[in-house]
Amino acid sequence: MADFVGAVDQGTTSTRFMIFDHAGNEVAKHQLEHAQILPQSGWVEHDPVEIWERTNSVIQNALRHGNLSPADLAAIGITNQRETTVVWDPRNGRPYYNAIVWQDTRTDSIAAALDRSGQGDVIRRKAGLPPATYFSGGKIQWILENVDGVREAAEQGHAIFGNTDCWVLWNLTGGPDGGIHATDVTNASRTMLMDLESLDWDDELLGFFGIPRAMLPTIHSSSHPTAFGVTRTSRPLRAAIPIAGVLGDQQAATVGQVCYAPGEAKNTYGTGNFLVLNTGTELVRSQHGLLTTVAYRFGDEPAVYALEGSIAVTGSAVQWLRDQMKIITDAAESERLARTVEDNGGMYFVPAFSGLFAPYWRSDARGAIVGLARYNDSGHLARATLEAICYQSRDVVEAMEQDSGVHLDVLKVDGGVTANDLCMQIQADVLGVPVSRPVVAETTALGAAYAAGLATGFWRDTDELRTHWQESKRWEPQWSEEKRAEGYEGWKKAVARTLDWATVE
C-alpha cells in the first residue's frame, strides 16, 4: 500500500494540499491565497476558477516539495469552507457567477422573509438551522433570481450547485468529462435544504427557496471508498487516486481532533471561529442560538450529530488590522503589538462585519469599537481584537453548556490563530478553563485525510487515530473570577452597541 494520504483544504482565504503519514504527521504541504472580492458593503465573493487553479498548483507543489509521486498516495480527502456557494454549467465548467462566500449578507431579506412567513420554524425543525445569510439555500436563490439565464438553465439541467467541496471534487474527477457531482452529509447539512433525520434533500425546504432538485449533488457519507470516485489522469495528479473522504472544514477539524465521543468538543480559530460539541447519534435541538448539524458519517454507520457555535469574524479581524487599518504587516505582528499594553485600556472591539452569528443571529449588527479614551493607541486595538476572538468564543461556550449540560474541563483548539500565544492565554483567562493545542494544529486537513484513510484501510479505526493525538501546549487561566466577570460584562455592553445598524427588509 502507498505510504501517505493527501488532503485538499479549500478554505476561505487560501487553498492548500497537505500530505500525512501513518502516524498522522505532516510530510509536505503547499498553500496559496486567493482574492477576496468585495463588490459592495456586506458582499463577499471568490472566483471559482481561481480556486480550481490554486487547487491544481498546491497539489503539484506539495508533491514536489515532499519528493513524492501520485502513486505514493493511498487516497485523498477534501475539506472546504462550508456554505460558500457555486453555480456552474456542467457542460463546460463555467461558473455563472462568482462564489458567494459564507460571510456574505446580501440574502438578509430572504432570511427575514422566511422568518416572517413561519417557514423559518420549519427550517429549524428539519434542517437544524435558523434562516440566516450564512447558509447556502438563500445564496442559490439569489443567483437564480438575479443572474440572467440561470433559472432557465437550471430548469433545463444546465446549472448545478455545490459548495466548494463539490466544485473541487467535480473538477478533480473530470469536470465536463464525467465529473462526479456529489457532496457529503456535513456539507449538505449547511444548506437549509437537507432533513437531518433522513439525510436527504427535502422537497418542502427546496420549495421555500424555489430550487430545482436536479441542481443538487448526491449526498454520501463523509468517508466512503468509492462514492466520490477517483482523480482523472489529467492534471493535477495524472493518476487515478481514490477520493475517499469529504467533510466541511469544521467537521473535519472535529475528526482531526479525535472528538469521537459524545461530550468531546473542539474550537477552530480561522477566518471565523467554530466550536463543535459531539452529541453522538442523538439530535440535540438548540434552545440557545446554536446549530444542530451533522458531525460526520463514516461508511454505513449511523450519522454522528453535533451542536455548533459559528462565529463569523475572528481571524479575519486580524486581517482587517493588516489590510484595511494597516497597523500591522502580518498576523504575527498582532501579538507583538498587543503585548505593548497590559490590557485593553477599556476598549472593546466587536467585529460584526457580517452581522453576528451564534448565539445572537443578528444580521442587522455591524462592527463597533467602544470605550475609547484619548490615550488609547494601536496596541489597545490589537489587544481588543484578540480579546474579541476570545469573548465571542465564550458566548458560544455558555450557550453550549446551557443546551447540553456539558461543562468543559478543557478546550481543544486548532487553526492558524492558535499560533498566537497571547490570544490563547486570553482565551483560557476569559473562559476560566485550560486551553490545549495539539502537535498538529491544522487539524482540518488532517481530519479530511483521516476520513479518506479510514475508508481505504490506510487506518484501521478511530481508536488507532486517537493514539496519534498529542498535546503541544497548554494554557492555564490566570485571571481572577472578578476580573473575568468584569471583562465579560464590558463585552456584553459592547455587543449591545452593534445591534440595529443595518436595515433588514
Side-chain angles (χ1 to χ4, degrees), residues 30 51 127 153 169 220 238 260 269 417 419 447 463 468 483 503:
H30 191 68
I51 285 175
L169 174 69
H220 296 297
R238 304 190 186 282
Y260 304 137
Y269 298 71
V417 179
D463 289 338
H468 299 159
K483 183 176 181 179
T503 301

Side-chain angles (χ1 to χ4, degrees), residues 104-365:
D104 190 286
T105 60
R106 77 186 68 186
T107 59
D108 52 2
S109 61
I110 293 175
L114 289 166
D115 252 345
R116 286 196 304 270
S117 69
Q119 293 170 334
D121 292 334
V122 180
I123 295 171
R124 289 181 179 91
R125 176 172 53 83
K126 287 190 171 185
L129 309 173
T133 61
Y134 185 16
F135 307 109
S136 310
K139 302 179 196 304
I140 304 170
Q141 179 180 341
W142 188 93
I143 291 173
L144 288 169
E145 293 178 350
N146 291 277
V147 181
D148 288 344
V150 178
R151 169 71 68 184
E152 293 77 8
E155 291 171 353
Q156 296 166 8
H158 298 170
I160 60 176
F161 150 78
N163 294 327
T164 58
D165 66 304
C166 196
W167 169 248
V168 168
L169 174 69
W170 185 81
N171 279 287
L172 279 173
T173 54
D177 184 21
I180 290 178
H181 187 214
T183 190
D184 88 301
V185 289
T186 68
N187 278 291
S189 75
R190 314 296 297 195
T191 61
M192 297 192 286
L193 305 174
M194 188 190 83
D195 186 300
L196 282 174
E197 295 183 5
S198 69
L199 302 179
D200 195 8
W201 305 121
D202 183 87
D203 288 332
E204 183 179 18
L205 298 180
L206 292 174
F208 291 168
F209 297 93
I211 297 171
R213 191 183 185 103
M215 288 185 72
L216 304 179
T218 304
I219 303 172
H220 296 297
S221 293
S222 312
S223 175
H224 196 283
T226 60
F228 301 111
V230 299
T231 59
R232 285 298 180 97
T233 54
S234 56
R235 75 180 188 127
L237 283 159
R238 304 190 186 282
I241 310 299
I243 300 173
V246 175
L247 287 156
D249 52 10
Q250 303 316 314
Q251 288 92 338
T254 303
V255 172
Q257 283 275 38
V258 298
C259 295
Y260 304 137
E264 293 182 327
K266 67 87 204 174
N267 198 19
T268 295
Y269 298 71
T271 302
N273 268 31
F274 304 89
L275 204 156
V276 178
L277 174 73
N278 184 323
T279 63
T281 55
E282 177 188 3
L283 270 169
V284 176
R285 307 286 184 179
S286 177
Q287 303 300 314
H288 296 91
L290 302 179
L291 310 178
T292 302
T293 194
V294 182
Y296 55 84
R297 188 184 185 196
F298 294 155
D300 296 328
E301 297 176 10
V304 172
Y305 295 96
L307 285 172
E308 178 180 322
S310 306
I311 303 166
V313 178
T314 55
S316 57
V318 176
Q319 288 182 320
W320 180 77
L321 295 182
R322 181 192 70 185
D323 299 338
Q324 273 78 28
M325 294 295 98
K326 302 187 186 303
I327 65 171
I328 59 174
T329 57
D330 57 45
E333 193 177 347
S334 65
E335 180 175 0
R336 295 192 294 272
L337 186 57
R339 287 189 183 277
T340 63
V341 295
E342 293 184 0
D343 54 35
N344 65 13
M347 175 195 294
Y348 289 86
F349 171 31
V350 185
F353 302 146
S354 303
L356 288 170
F357 286 9
Y360 303 100
W361 298 108
R362 292 291 296 264
S363 61
D364 62 312

Side-chain angles (χ1 to χ4, degrees), residues 350 366-368 370 492-501:
V350 185
R366 288 298 179 268
V370 301
K492 299 296 280 188
K493 287 172 62 178
V495 168
R497 304 296 193 273
T498 71
L499 306 179
D500 296 317
W501 281 98

Side-chain angles (χ1 to χ4, degrees), residues 412-425:
K412 284 185 174 181
V413 299
D414 56 74
V417 179
T418 64
N420 188 315
D421 284 347
L422 177 59
C423 188
M424 292 301 98
Q425 182 59 58

